[in-house]
C-alpha cells in the first residue's frame, strides 16, 4: 500500500491576490503602448488580437485589421502547432499583441500564450480604451 501524497509547494504557498499575480505576470515580458502597437501592426511586425467580448466590440467598435478571437478560444486559435489554429498563427516567433478592454485580462492571456511558446506575445497597456483615447483608428 502506498502512502498518501504529501503537500506540494503549491499547497504550502499563501494565496496570491490578483494584483500581485498581474505584477508577477507582467514582470515576465515587456508590455506595449497604443502608439507602438499601432506602428508595429502597420509595419507588419505585430498581429493585433482583440479578445473583448461581443457586447464591448458592438458598443465601442473595432481596431481595423485586428483579429477578433474570443478569450476562451485564444490558445487554440494561436498555437502554431494546434489543430484549430488560425492561418495567421504561423510560428512561435509571431509577435502578438493581445487587446482587452482595459489591459487586465490581456495580461493573463499573454502569459498563457507564453506558456505555449509564443515568447513574443505581449498585451496593450490600457487596452482598447487606451487605444481609443490615443486617437488611433477605430471602426
Amino acid at each position: 500500500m502506498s502512502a498518501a501524497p504529501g503537500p506540494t509547494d503549491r499547497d504550502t504557498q499563501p494565496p496570491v491576490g490578483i494584483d500581485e499575480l498581474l505584477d508577477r505576470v507582467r514582470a515576465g515580458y515587456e508590455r506595449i503602448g497604443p502608439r507602438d502597437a499601432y506602428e508595429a501592426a502597420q509595419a507588419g511586425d505585430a498581429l493585433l488580437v482583440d479578445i473583448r467580448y461581443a457586447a464591448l466590440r458592438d458598443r465601442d467598435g473595432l481596431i481595423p485589421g485586428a483579429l477578433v478571437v474570443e478569450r476562451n478560444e485564444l490558445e487554440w486559435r494561436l498555437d502554431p502547432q494546434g489543430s484549430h489554429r488560425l492561418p495567421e498563427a504561423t510560428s512561435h516567433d509571431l509577435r502578438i499583441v493581445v487587446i482587452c478592454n482595459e489591459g487586465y485580462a490581456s495580461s493573463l492571456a499573454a502569459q498563457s500564450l507564453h506558456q505555449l511558446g509564443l515568447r513574443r506575445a505581449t498585451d496593450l497597456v490600457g487596452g482598447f480604451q487606451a487605444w481609443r483615447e490615443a486617437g488611433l483608428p477605430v471602426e
Side-chain angles (χ1 to χ4, degrees), residues 19-39:
D19 293 329
E20 184 178 342
L21 178 61
L22 280 172
D23 288 344
R24 289 181 187 182
V25 164
R26 290 171 175 169
Y29 63 92
E30 186 175 333
R31 300 178 79 208
I32 190 169
R35 179 72 48 198
D36 289 339
Y38 173 76
E39 291 171 1

Side-chain angles (χ1 to χ4, degrees), residues 112-135:
S112 182
L113 294 177
H114 278 236
Q115 291 173 328
L116 290 176
L118 294 158
R119 299 286 178 221
R120 296 184 70 207
T122 187
D123 75 311
L124 184 66
V125 176
F128 178 86
Q129 297 306 321
W131 178 280
R132 186 170 61 183
E133 287 172 18

Side-chain angles (χ1 to χ4, degrees), residues 5-119:
T8 65
D9 284 343
R10 187 179 305 179
D11 294 333
T12 60
Q13 296 291 324
V16 175
I18 188 61
D19 293 329
E20 184 178 342
L21 178 61
L22 280 172
D23 288 344
R24 289 181 187 182
V25 164
R26 290 171 175 169
Y29 63 92
E30 186 175 333
R31 300 178 79 208
I32 190 169
R35 179 72 48 198
D36 289 339
Y38 173 76
E39 291 171 1
Q42 291 297 303
D45 185 43
L47 176 65
L48 304 180
V49 178
D50 187 344
I51 63 168
R52 294 175 300 140
Y53 53 90
L56 288 177
R57 294 191 310 266
D58 291 344
R59 182 189 77 189
D60 294 337
L62 298 169
I63 295 172
L67 187 63
V68 174
V69 179
E70 296 287 337
R71 173 61 189 99
N72 63 328
E73 296 180 358
L74 186 70
E75 292 83 358
W76 286 267
R77 299 297 189 199
L78 295 180
D79 178 4
Q81 298 176 338
S83 59
H84 292 72
R85 74 175 180 84
L86 293 169
E88 294 85 352
T90 56
S91 81
H92 284 93
D93 292 327
L94 183 63
R95 185 177 184 195
I96 298 168
V97 178
V98 182
I99 303 165
C100 68
N101 194 48
E102 295 181 346
Y104 296 101
S106 58
S107 294
L108 299 176
Q111 171 62 20
S112 182
L113 294 177
H114 278 236
Q115 291 173 328
L116 290 176
L118 294 158
R119 299 286 178 221

